Amino acid sequence: MVIPLSARFDLALGGRWTSLSGGGREWLWSRPDPARDLVLPGGAFVDVGGLEECVPTVRGRPDHGDAWSRPWTGTPARATVKCDGFELTREVGEEAGAVVAVYRLSADPGFRFVWSAHALLDLSEQARLIAPPGTPLRVYPEAAPVLDTAWPPGAPYLEGRWPDPFGLGLDRLGPPDGSAAGAVLRCASVRVQDGADVLGLRVEAPPGVPVGTALWRNLGGFPEGAPYRSIGVEPMLGTVFDVTEAGPDDTAEVPASGEVTWRLVMTAERMW
């Protein structure tokens, strides 16, 4: 059964998605942190959950990109943020119960970037991430303590296959165990199943633009000193977290027209 979704936003605080709900269920996880209200462009990321627009990078500088820390202008249906070197516009609507966001990034031709819909989800310990078996992925160094192999010195990431690279079992989004793992899957569409509820996330991009889905499986391994459980499932343009570590085929690039457009589609269903 299809469950119609609706979304809410906080344009003043980074254009953040504060709610994605339907059928009596809220899909976005959140946590309070008064420091979020005081953030300035270029500042360290303050995690209050929801869905943040991370662009032109996720890791690196600026931390989680340049859009989440700036006020957006417009309306929830059509909002714009102006950042250093680019402008991002987001139009949000509904198609057959799905929430659809259409993005347009304007910049000088040749501008390379990564974008992530940094969605932190409110999931039970029984939830699972479903992606095509064998999907190639990259695993990042915070997972090193729980791998079944040694981390090569200086490697920014390791290449593996979904769902169990190096013994991680990344499809299981279970209880806190003190671990944290970040990965980028090279696929445009995934599903999250939590009991009878299923959330679908898909990114649609022009031909030649690399797409992926990031997973942040924090089972109480982050941050040091005050860890908590948080699960990020993040449709992406690009296939790396840090744009400075990207190879020639790992990022989106603004063409001669000066614009790149893409779509984020989120659906929900109830299985019984």
Side-chain angles (χ1 to χ4, degrees), residues 83-103:
C83 302
D84 289 341
F86 69 94
E87 180 177 286
L88 180 67
T89 297
R90 177 184 68 200
E91 296 186 37
V92 182
E94 179 270 338
E95 295 181 9
V99 168
V100 179
V102 180
Y103 295 87

Side-chain angles (χ1 to χ4, degrees), residues 29 31-33 36 45-50 52 118 120 216 218 222 228 230:
W29 171 87
R31 64 187 290 269
D33 192 330
R36 183 67 171 84
F45 184 63
V46 179
D47 182 11
V48 292
E52 305 275 12
H118 188 277
L120 293 172
W216 171 240
N218 174 26
F222 179 88
Y228 50 84
S230 60

Side-chain angles (χ1 to χ4, degrees), residues 152-217:
Y157 48 74
L158 298 182
E159 303 273 1
R161 297 277 177 174
W162 183 264
D164 195 27
F166 316 108
L168 282 173
L170 288 175
D171 59 325
R172 299 186 293 275
L173 310 177
D177 61 8
S179 70
V184 178
L185 289 72
R186 297 190 191 186
C187 64
S189 178
V190 299
R191 290 157 41 104
V192 179
Q193 182 176 348
D194 193 5
D197 291 323
V198 178
L199 180 69
L201 303 102
R202 181 173 79 251
V203 60
E204 300 172 350
V209 176
V211 297
T213 303
L215 169 64
W216 171 240
R217 191 183 69 176

Side-chain angles (χ1 to χ4, degrees), residues 222-245:
F222 179 88
E224 185 177 351
Y228 50 84
R229 178 180 181 267
S230 60
I231 306 296
V233 180
E234 310 168 22
M236 295 183 68
L237 296 191
T239 54
V240 292
F241 281 128
D242 189 339
V243 71
T244 66
E245 297 175 352

Side-chain angles (χ1 to χ4, degrees), residues 260-271:
V260 177
T261 61
W262 67 95
R263 294 185 358 138
L264 170 65
V265 181
M266 293 184 285
T267 61
E269 60 182 293
R270 189 157 287 152
M271 298 171 56

Side-chain angles (χ1 to χ4, degrees), residues 17-95:
W17 302 56
T18 59
S19 175
L20 180 67
S21 62
R25 172 164 188 154
E26 173 59 59
W27 281 100
L28 294 183
W29 171 87
S30 63
R31 64 187 290 269
D33 192 330
R36 183 67 171 84
D37 297 339
L38 305 176
V39 167
L40 297 175
F45 184 63
V46 179
D47 182 11
V48 292
L51 186 159
E52 305 275 12
E53 307 285 358
C54 295
V55 60
T57 193
V58 182
R59 300 184 181 181
R61 294 179 181 271
D63 186 11
H64 283 68
D66 200 24
W68 73 272
S69 60
R70 297 178 183 268
W72 293 44
T73 59
T75 68
R78 188 179 190 279
T80 298
V81 61
K82 294 183 178 181
C83 302
D84 289 341
F86 69 94
E87 180 177 286
L88 180 67
T89 297
R90 177 184 68 200
E91 296 186 37
V92 182
E94 179 270 338
E95 295 181 9

